[in-house]
Amino acid sequence: MSYKAKFKVWRGDAGEGSLEDYGVEVNEGEVVLDIIHRLQATQAPDMAVRWNCKAGKCGSCSAEVNGVPRLMCMTRMSTFTEDETITVTPLRTFPVIRDLVTDVSFNYTKAREVASFEPPAELKPGDYRMAQVDVERSQEFRKCIECFLCQNTCHAVRDHEDNKDHFAGPRFLMRVAELDMHPLDTRERRNEAQEDHGLGFCNITKCCTEVCPEHIKITDNALIPMKERVADRKYDPLVWLGNKIARRK
Amino acid sequence: MSTGTVSPSRTRAEIEQSTLRTDRYWVAPLVTFIVFLAFIAYATFRAFQNEYYYASPYVSPFYSPCISTNCTPMPGAGEVHFIGSWWKLSPALLILVFPLGFRMTCYYYRKAYYRAFWQSPPACAVAEPHGKYTGETRFPLIFQNAHRYFFIAASLFNVILTWDAILGFRNTDGQWGHMGLGTLVLLANATLLWLYTASCHSCRHIMGGRLKHFSKHPVRYRAWTVVSRLNTRHMQLAWASLFGVALTDLYVWLVASNVFSDPKFF
Amino acid sequence: MSTDTLTYEYDVVVIGAGGAGLRAAIEARAQGRSVAIICKSLFGKAHTVMAEGGAAAAMGNVNANDNWQVHFRDTMRGGKFLNNPRMAELHAKEAPDRVWELEEWGALFDRTKDGKISQRNFGGHEYPRLAHVGDRTGLELIRTLQQAVVSFQQKDFREHGDYEARIKVFAEHTITRLLLDGDRIAGAFGYRREDGQFVLFKAPAVVLATGGIGKSYKVTSNSWEYTGDGHALALLAGATLINMECIQFHPTGMVWPPSVKGILVTESVRGDGGVLRNSEGKRFMFGYVPDVFRKQYAETEEEADRWYTDPDHNRRPPELLPRDEVARSINSEVKAGRGTPHGGVFLDIASRLPAEEVRRRLPSMYHQFKELADVDITAEPMEVGPTCHYVMGGVEVDPDTAASSVLGLFAAGEVAGGMHGSNRLGGNSLSDLLVFGRRAGLGAADYIARLEQDRPEVQDADVDAARTEALAPLEFEAGENPYTVHSELQQTMNDLVGIIRREHEVAAAIEKLGEFRERREKLSAPGSRTFNPGWHLALDLRNMLLVSDCVAKAALERQESRGGHTREDYPVMSATWRKVNLVCSLDEQGRAKLEHKPVPTIRHDLLELFEVSELRKYMTEEELAGLPGMEPADEAVEVAAVEDEVVEAEAEAVEAEAAEVETVEAEAAEAEEPEAEAVEAEEAAEAEAEEPEESEAQSEAESEDAPEAEVSETAEIPAQAEADATESVADVSAADGEEGAK
């Protein structure tokens, strides 16, 4: 069962470009990435698209389909009607290189700014002991495939380029939370989260969670708990007092 | 791309439309906007109205506890007039700041009103109409971090409202062992409020979220697990308890103003 | 030399940023060398993320009887003794340390009850051995290594004020040529994907870690990157490849629907109770257990089914035979007309476990197929068949240093040959990456230390030649479309040099490859140098054709069937062919040529880990001479003389072997742990069997969106809403399960 679908794809580079119309064959069981590949093989051999595994595991083929940030390999054609025009554009938050390919180096820069895991100095490899319940929270965050859809969707940087300097974005605030919840991490990360990585810019409107293809509960399980931990450290006189007294003992 | 070797002059893709979403993404914020506005209007009116809030044995949640001396006598119900008699306005205004603060700083409501009222953002991947954005980094929004204190206050209120519901097991003369439809209404209201409060993110943090090692605190881990489970329904509970409070107040109003007579079961 | 080329200087250039490449880079950097990591796609997207099962390492956390000797034995058995025994030995010995050090860098493996790394069963492994994280172990591994690279960069930032002072990632760069100075590596030439900018790396040492060759095949689990770049670069630099005919076809890749065609269904599905049935509904694997494995596998469905809960007293189900056996069996069923409508067989877990249990144990399998193709594996059987998955052959390397025959050229991971023999065990590739990635980094660092001031120089003429070669498809007008040649190549390799090979077919393939080679010289790629996929494919085709040539010629040469090489006209293993490595290099015309070289002999102490009766299935009598227990029993002589794996005196041997295996294990266990922790280990094993335990910990917010939002989506995108609905029905239990499985 195949039909001819109407596609609009953003073509261009160096920022300038436009939506171009294509008519293309669609078969049963296909996803948007299949269609882009068909365009490449039949009508536009130089159409740039980034992809790798085509199985929703590598997070390369991020784009915006009908305005919604998605992985193209995870967007089934059966979710659209046959007469619908499907618009595919590059991620809007990052500079475009060409067509559907954007420069995502922002994310790698931010990744480098999060201090690495710091295990207890005296612990030898092979002697690590952790309970399953203690690793599960961080394990959820390590499901992240770094598709950067959350980074792209978050309005704090999507609508405000100037915030890119002082806001790490959901993916890397989640990385801070992951390390803070790691049972063997010894670093104090709460101040950094707020001061260096801009946790305060998050206004928990949950778009990161909405677009996450791995269904990680970024807001509820990482960002909000991290905000609460920061509040412990920075904004809670009672906890502060409690710690002071406890340390005296 | 490569890390660091890219020409710096790159810009974002030029796309005219502020969003290309084709679904009705504006429905959710619009509904939120209308309902919240309606609630605010109703609550403001009722708070200033200063009458029809006690229909023995039922007290409206907007007026309990009464901490000034200028309210209708409500035998048994939260009469702790500790601020004395100087207050002349509606007594509701004195206490509503606490539940209001709890909801204003609630992580779910924040999402809802940032989206619906402030359009920051109106919906995901839809451009927001503001030139500058600082999130919750500075005054006044930095006070959202006080949510945990409102959580504690809200819990105290829940105790009082639960007591109010128990007082509902009296008849109009104050004798125990009776029950009417109002009793059920008050009980339902208290239950929803407890569920909403217990499912709060701050509660989840206090119960066990702040721990590094669950395995060393099995009891708190269990508590955290329960709260986490409730927390997944925090949004639904926020809405349900909001309607709960408004409807309970409405019920008391209707009974107190003799529009409706409370059916007694026994 | 052209001026439009960016030039960099490094001590070590690592080509490939998957597990092996990153591990090599980390080691070279740890040895104080400056390192460039060349990454064909984005950093952290390499094919390693696709590995699901786990990393095999004999840590003995779940079963204390496990040790490196047992792991070595399993690896050799799996590889049908074509392995380089020293590599198999190093791998088995070092894998635990490599896995443990990942924890130092922040990896979070699933845990046992006592807090150690949990290990799971996998095909071909005698004990639960695979360290894992749910079914996303590859992702964990690559993310951990990526973060370890970052932590080195942070260290350099603190010391030099520059993150990239001593280790830099060149993402979306492709190397097209290695450059030599005489017989030594001097550098590498390539282009930057995003703008076609040419880049030159001057470096005395290059580590190849480019992975496999799957994109030469039509049905494959591999991504577009897997075009055999490292194999081809090595050949062109004068290095040699071994045993390229040995290609693993994963037995269970999806064959339907098309959006998931080629995607693997992890072996865990079978480990957790999934069974293979033909179109008649018969569980056919019982008919395909080879004699070598007969005593380890169940003979009845009842016994097989008992194994899942009581592995100590029952033999394992035949669905867990090594991959090549399973792939071959499926192929036979399909050929016999008992396949599914789309040319596969049914893999059924839906009728074997409750839906909730399937979701809990195989969360990402479940979600993957649900989301990619709307296939519910808890409700219907999957249609699976062999898909090109892994190449065992590769660059011929020195086991200890990972050095190739070209000075300064090293190779690790899938691109290197020898470690896995003719067939790789599941779980051995992740540990292979770590063990030999590290050794390659170390090898490169040592090599540079020996060079001192005598560093090789890049020759300008070579750079110009590489540049001209790379520009050809852009400059040649009105030539053929590279996509056409590529798809014909894939079809040819799939049909003629696929899982089952016949002499005349392979010969025909070699002829066709000759034609493709001529056509490749006249390809054109319209468009500019800016992120132009047509141009990139035209360049990659050279590599695919070179590698395919080696594969086809070796497949024609080897007249036996062994592991990942099955010849219909020579269906059995031959003890004389076992001694032969087929070594592929390029002749003056740039075509593949083959040589026979002996497989390195197995040291006596390693041979003694096996029963003589087992060795007889693989080896000639002369090779076994002098081994204890080599009393030439009358039947045995006869058996050993036959070049065939059918052993008559099996029954006797079985008993004898069983007895010895037990003693060996007992000794090993004692040697390993001062106090035998057998009891404890058994408890751990039981705990493991019960796992995934009920953990409600993370039953977090499933439906955090406003209900109205869902309504609005329903209006516009019905199927999406449907998926949402299904999920919210699946609800708490699914989310619990997902977390619990970890």
Side-chain angles (χ1 to χ4, degrees):
Chain A
M1 197 196 69
S2 78
Y3 70 99
K4 196 107 174 168
K6 286 172 283 181
F7 263 71
K8 273 183 189 296
V9 182
W10 195 89
R11 301 293 310 270
D13 51 21
E16 287 169 31
S18 58
L19 291 169
E20 287 186 20
D21 291 291
Y22 297 94
V24 57
E25 182 192 315
V26 171
N27 302 310
E28 200 182 345
E30 288 185 325
V31 294
V32 169
L33 187 59
D34 289 316
I35 311 307
I36 298 292
H37 281 156
R38 182 160 302 127
L39 284 174
Q40 237 179 17
T42 58
Q43 304 177 37
D46 61 340
M47 182 184 281
V49 57
R50 191 182 268 141
W51 68 287
N52 257 27
C53 72
K54 207 182 154 315
K57 283 181 180 264
C58 77
S60 297
C61 60
S62 307
E64 302 191 2
V65 182
N66 281 351
V68 180
R70 309 192 60 123
L71 292 179
M72 286 187 276
C73 71
M74 300 274 278
T75 310
R76 293 197 304 276
M77 286 304 296
S78 60
T79 58
F80 306 105
T81 57
E82 292 191 6
D83 52 356
E84 198 173 342
T85 302
I86 296 151
T87 312
V88 187
T89 60
L91 299 178
R92 285 204 189 197
T93 304
F94 311 121
V96 70
I97 292 175
R98 212 170 102 85
D99 303 340
L100 300 177
V101 178
T102 51
D103 175 358
V104 293
S105 51
F106 164 72
N107 302 291
Y108 291 95
T109 307
K110 291 297 171 187
R112 255 191 332 221
E113 289 168 4
V114 178
S116 298
F117 171 58
E118 288 179 15
E122 70 287 356
L123 199 58
K124 301 246 167 5
D127 291 345
Y128 284 53
R129 295 288 178 274
M130 294 177 260
Q132 184 63 32
V133 291
D134 294 340
V135 300
E136 271 167 1
R137 279 184 299 180
S138 297
Q139 277 186 333
E140 181 192 4
F141 310 143
R142 290 183 73 84
K143 287 197 298 195
C144 172
I145 58 174
E146 299 204 331
C147 63
F148 307 129
L149 286 178
C150 59
Q151 302 282 91
N152 170 61
T153 311
C154 182
H155 69 114
V157 284
R158 185 184 176 94
D159 297 331
H160 305 279
E161 180 74 25
D162 50 325
N163 283 342
K164 278 188 180 171
D165 285 340
H166 34 263
F167 181 58
R171 195 275 170 261
F172 297 103
L173 290 169
M174 179 173 87
R175 166 83 172 136
V176 177
E178 171 210 317
L179 289 165
D180 204 56
M181 294 177 191
H182 190 302
L184 291 175
D185 185 63
T186 56
R187 190 182 175 92
E188 166 59 58
R189 296 178 184 273
R190 291 172 294 184
N191 263 329
E192 298 172 353
Q194 190 77 353
E195 307 300 331
D196 303 342
H197 307 303
L199 181 59
F201 281 87
C202 165
N203 71 343
I204 51 169
T205 36
K206 278 201 172 176
C207 287
C208 50
T209 309
E210 234 170 77
V211 298
C212 179
E214 285 294 301
H215 308 295
I216 301 171
K217 308 298 177 201
I218 303 172
T219 320
D220 283 310
N221 289 352
L223 303 184
I224 294 176
M226 204 59 219
K227 273 179 175 261
E228 286 293 317
R229 285 169 179 232
V230 169
D232 276 354
R233 167 90 188 179
K234 289 178 73 89
Y235 306 113
D236 193 331
L238 277 187
V239 173
W240 177 82
L241 199 69
N243 283 344
K244 249 258 89 105
I245 294 165
R247 230 167 279 144
R248 288 254 168 80
K249 279 181 197 165
Chain B
M1 71 111 242
S2 86
T3 43
T5 55
V6 178
S7 51
S9 61
R10 284 233 170 83
T11 55
R12 300 181 181 202
E14 236 170 44
I15 300 167
E16 283 171 28
Q17 298 87 335
S18 71
T19 182
L20 288 163
R21 280 184 72 163
T22 53
D23 55 341
R24 285 180 290 164
Y25 62 83
W26 42 269
V27 170
L30 186 66
V31 169
T32 309
F33 181 79
I34 292 170
V35 174
F36 283 8
L37 211 60
F39 179 83
I40 292 166
Y42 175 82
T44 310
F45 170 74
R46 282 289 287 156
F48 280 97
Q49 193 186 19
N50 203 5
E51 57 182 338
Y52 307 128
Y53 54 80
Y54 187 72
S56 178
Y58 312 128
V59 59
S60 157
F62 285 6
Y63 284 83
S64 176
C66 179
I67 57 172
S68 59
T69 52
N70 63 337
C71 38
T72 316
M74 304 185 286
E79 289 185 294
V80 277
H81 304 148
F82 64 81
I83 75 149
S85 57
W86 57 271
W87 182 259
K88 302 296 174 215
L89 295 173
S90 163
L93 301 176
L94 286 171
I95 54 157
L96 281 183
V97 62
F98 295 101
L100 182 73
F102 183 50
R103 284 178 197 258
M104 286 296 282
T105 59
C106 161
Y107 286 97
Y108 165 70
Y109 280 101
R110 272 145 80 180
K111 168 201 166 186
Y113 66 75
Y114 285 143
R115 282 195 186 196
F117 285 73
W118 195 244
Q119 304 206 327
S120 177
C124 299
V126 177
E128 61 170 301
H130 306 285
K132 186 104 188 103
Y133 172 83
T134 53
E136 300 180 340
T137 54
R138 55 180 71 173
F139 181 82
L141 292 181
I142 200 160
F143 281 102
Q144 304 282 30
N145 285 305
H147 187 46
R148 53 186 60 192
Y149 290 105
F150 287 109
F151 160 71
I152 292 163
S155 303
L156 289 175
F157 271 68
N158 289 347
V159 172
I160 293 164
L161 294 184
T162 308
W163 176 242
D164 289 344
I166 292 166
L167 292 177
F169 286 99
R170 301 173 305 173
N171 61 13
T172 41
D173 302 329
Q175 288 158 324
W176 289 93
H178 300 275
M179 188 181 180
L181 181 58
T183 322
L184 283 182
V185 171
L186 261 61
L187 278 176
N189 181 42
T191 309
L192 285 173
L193 284 171
W194 272 121
L195 287 173
Y196 167 61
T197 313
S199 67
C200 153
H201 292 85
S202 283
C203 173
R204 187 171 176 229
H205 175 73
I206 292 163
M207 287 303 160
R210 58 199 305 272
L211 298 173
K212 195 138 190 148
H213 298 97
F214 286 146
S215 54
K216 291 179 187 159
H217 304 86
V219 177
R220 290 183 69 183
Y221 173 59
R222 188 155 284 265
W224 178 84
T225 308
V226 172
V227 172
S228 295
R229 205 171 259 271
L230 278 175
N231 182 259
T232 66
R233 300 273 172 271
H234 196 48
M235 176 190 77
Q236 289 88 335
L237 290 168
W239 281 79
S241 62
L242 188 76
F243 281 110
V245 170
L247 291 174
T248 306
D249 174 74
L250 180 66
Y251 188 85
V252 175
W253 180 9
L254 294 178
V255 175
S257 57
N258 295 319
V259 176
F260 179 78
S261 125
D262 179 50
K264 298 285 180 201
F265 303 149
F266 50 85
Chain C
M1 193 178 85
S2 300
T3 48
D4 72 337
T5 302
L6 286 176
T7 305
Y8 303 95
E9 252 183 85
Y10 283 93
D11 290 333
V12 182
V13 170
V14 178
I15 307 176
L22 295 183
R23 190 62 191 82
I26 289 167
E27 194 62 27
R29 165 65 189 77
Q31 300 297 319
R33 298 296 159 189
S34 68
V35 185
I37 301 172
I38 316 292
C39 191
K40 200 170 174 180
S41 47
L42 289 176
F43 188 31
K45 307 293 182 199
H47 207 62
T48 309
V49 300
M50 301 294 285
E52 294 172 334
M59 298 182 283
N61 289 351
V62 170
N63 190 324
N65 292 328
D66 202 9
N67 56 45
W68 76 263
Q69 286 93 339
V70 185
H71 192 182
F72 170 80
R73 203 162 57 197
D74 289 344
T75 303
M76 293 299 288
R77 273 179 191 146
K80 303 277 193 312
F81 283 73
L82 194 63
N83 319 53
N84 181 319
R86 174 67 178 159
M87 288 179 92
E89 179 196 358
L90 287 172
H91 169 258
K93 278 181 175 166
E94 295 179 1
D97 286 337
R98 297 290 81 77
V99 170
W100 283 325
E101 84 195 346
L102 291 178
E103 289 199 301
E104 261 190 296
W105 299 331
L108 286 173
F109 291 102
D110 287 350
R111 318 304 300 182
T112 61
K113 278 258 156 70
D114 53 354
K116 295 179 186 171
I117 297 173
S118 171
Q119 298 183 273
R120 69 154 59 113
N121 274 308
F122 227 60
H125 292 281
E126 191 168 335
Y127 296 114
R129 187 177 286 149
L130 270 64
H132 59 274
V133 189
D135 46 13
R136 53 163 192 87
T137 316
L139 175 68
E140 183 72 12
L141 194 135
I142 202 154
R143 202 62 82 229
T144 304
L145 292 173
Q146 187 183 343
Q147 286 159 355
V149 167
V150 165
S151 82
F152 272 113
Q153 291 184 325
Q154 291 173 345
K155 215 164 148 192
D156 289 344
F157 182 73
R158 287 194 294 272
E159 284 173 27
H160 306 274
D162 178 7
Y163 285 111
E164 292 171 338
R166 290 200 285 173
I167 184 164
K168 173 160 170 159
V169 180
F170 292 82
E172 298 196 316
H173 281 61
T174 306
I175 295 297
T176 59
R177 276 279 174 174
L178 299 179
L179 306 171
L180 297 174
D181 179 4
D183 56 353
R184 300 184 301 167
I185 287 288
F189 177 89
Y191 61 89
R192 188 158 74 192
R193 209 170 170 74
E194 61 176 34
D195 57 2
Q197 167 73 52
F198 288 124
V199 287
L200 168 65
F201 294 93
K202 294 182 174 176
V206 167
V207 178
L208 296 173
T210 55
I213 63 164
K215 273 297 157 187
S216 302
Y217 283 85
K218 193 178 174 195
V219 183
T220 175
S221 61
N222 296 171
S223 78
W224 65 269
E225 298 182 283
Y226 265 36
T227 51
D229 293 4
H231 295 85
L233 291 172
L235 280 176
L236 291 167
T240 47
L241 309 183
I242 56 168
N243 300 331
M244 288 302 289
E245 70 283 11
C246 297
I247 295 175
Q248 188 170 63
F249 287 78
H250 195 286
T252 55
M254 290 294 265
V255 298
W256 187 259
S259 60
V260 290
K261 189 171 183 172
I263 291 183
L264 299 187
V265 179
T266 169
E267 226 164 305
S268 324
V269 172
R270 281 172 282 139
D272 281 338
V275 297
L276 293 164
R277 295 185 203 279
N278 59 23
S279 59
E280 294 161 4
K282 189 180 167 218
R283 196 171 158 184
F284 58 83
M285 282 305 295
F286 289 96
Y288 290 96
V289 183
D291 292 312
V292 218
F293 292 111
R294 188 142 289 161
K295 65 188 182 50
Q296 294 146 29
Y297 288 85
E299 280 162 50
T300 63
E301 295 199 18
E302 292 70 30
E303 181 181 3
D305 287 347
R306 283 196 303 268
W307 177 86
Y308 299 109
T309 46
D310 182 13
D312 290 342
H313 303 100
N314 295 287
R315 289 172 297 176
R316 39 180 54 211
E319 278 86 3
L320 295 177
L321 275 162
R323 291 176 168 183
D324 55 325
E325 303 292 351
V326 178
R328 244 186 307 219
S329 313
I330 294 175
N331 199 63
S332 305
E333 286 295 306
V334 175
K335 286 255 160 93
R338 295 188 292 269
T340 67
H342 306 101
V345 295
F346 292 110
L347 172 55
D348 179 18
I349 188 139
S351 72
R352 308 265 304 168
L353 287 175
E356 195 179 310
E357 190 68 15
V358 175
R359 280 194 295 265
R360 173 161 51 209
R361 292 195 193 187
L362 304 159
S364 71
M365 275 286 114
Y366 169 76
H367 286 293
Q368 188 177 0
F369 292 124
K370 187 78 199 145
E371 293 189 26
L372 292 174
D374 215 5
V375 172
D376 185 354
I377 64 167
T378 68
E380 52 192 317
M382 293 163 263
E383 281 189 59
V384 298
T387 170
C388 177
H389 180 50
Y390 189 92
V391 57
M392 273 69 69
V395 180
E396 189 179 26
V397 291
D398 169 62
D400 290 78
T401 61
S404 75
S405 55
V406 173
L407 282 172
L409 183 62
F410 300 81
E414 190 173 351
V415 70
M419 157 69 205
H420 303 289
S422 65
N423 184 41
R424 177 184 65 94
L425 291 185
N428 266 4
S429 63
L430 287 185
S431 39
D432 168 22
L433 303 178
L434 298 168
V435 169
F436 293 103
R438 174 179 158 277
R439 283 190 165 269
L442 207 55
D446 287 349
Y447 168 76
I448 294 168
R450 287 198 306 274
L451 278 179
E452 294 174 357
Q453 294 312 308
D454 176 29
R455 282 168 82 112
E457 290 292 329
V458 170
Q459 312 298 309
D460 288 355
D462 292 344
V463 178
D464 287 338
R467 202 177 161 279
T468 312
E469 179 188 45
L471 283 174
L474 286 171
E475 285 168 359
F476 194 83
E477 280 171 36
E480 213 176 342
N481 181 349
Y483 291 96
T484 317
V485 178
H486 185 212
S487 85
E488 282 180 40
L489 167 70
Q490 289 182 317
Q491 193 71 54
T492 303
M493 291 302 283
N494 225 67
D495 293 350
L496 304 179
V497 203
I499 180 165
I500 308 292
R501 287 126 186 208
R502 299 168 190 84
E503 186 170 329
H504 63 278
E505 288 183 350
V506 180
I510 293 173
E511 198 149 307
K512 286 204 119 180
L513 287 170
E515 291 167 27
F516 293 145
R517 191 165 29 235
E518 281 164 30
R519 287 164 66 185
R520 189 196 69 83
E521 282 158 22
K522 299 189 205 80
L523 292 177
S524 355
S528 69
R529 275 159 70 177
T530 308
F531 217 108
N532 183 344
W535 178 43
H536 305 151
L537 178 61
L539 297 178
D540 288 345
L541 265 174
R542 178 200 68 191
N543 302 341
M544 287 188 263
L545 286 170
L546 279 175
V547 168
S548 299
D549 207 21
C550 277
V551 171
K553 283 180 177 153
L556 186 64
E557 182 84 357
R558 188 178 286 278
Q559 295 178 332
E560 63 160 348
S561 291
R562 180 182 298 276
H565 172 64
T566 304
R567 281 286 294 266
E568 200 179 61
D569 38 0
Y570 300 94
V572 293
M573 280 196 288
S574 140
T576 39
W577 269 107
R578 191 207 69 79
K579 295 191 285 183
V580 179
N581 272 340
L582 288 177
V583 179
C584 184
S585 57
L586 293 188
D587 63 18
E588 296 77 44
Q589 284 85 47
R591 297 180 181 221
K593 67 167 198 256
L594 288 176
E595 274 175 278
H596 290 209
K597 278 196 201 165
V599 173
T601 49
I602 307 174
R603 282 203 320 268
H604 257 214
D605 60 313
L606 295 177
L607 267 186
E608 281 166 15
L609 296 170
F610 298 91
E611 269 294 307
V612 169
S613 60
E614 182 179 4
L615 293 178
R616 280 201 171 107
K617 294 166 201 160
Y618 300 103
M619 295 181 163
T620 60
E621 203 64 14
E622 309 91 76
E623 290 178 86
L624 298 176
L627 274 183
M630 271 306 290
E631 292 299 302
D634 7 297
E635 288 121 295
V637 176
E638 194 187 314
V639 169
V642 194
E643 290 192 345
D644 167 333
E645 52 178 288
V646 182
V647 180
E648 287 173 19
E650 189 73 86
E652 264 183 88
V654 167
E655 278 174 27
E657 186 170 329
E660 187 173 295
V661 166
E662 263 173 39
T663 25
V664 171
E665 280 161 8
E667 281 165 20
E670 272 170 45
E672 195 75 0
E673 305 279 331
E675 280 174 84
E677 294 185 350
V679 179
E680 210 180 307
E682 229 166 82
E683 279 170 14
E686 275 166 25
E688 183 64 2
E690 284 163 22
E691 198 222 63
E693 66 186 283
E694 187 61 49
S695 151
E696 300 159 350
Q698 304 247 349
S699 66
E700 317 297 18
E702 286 99 51
S703 71
E704 66 295 323
D705 199 6
E708 303 83 42
E710 275 178 22
V711 171
S712 74
E713 275 183 23
T714 317
E716 295 297 325
I717 317 175
Q720 179 56 45
E722 199 179 299
D724 288 348
T726 324
E727 262 184 43
S728 56
V729 171
D731 198 328
V732 187
S733 50
D736 279 359
E738 182 168 344
E739 303 307 325
K742 291 198 208 146

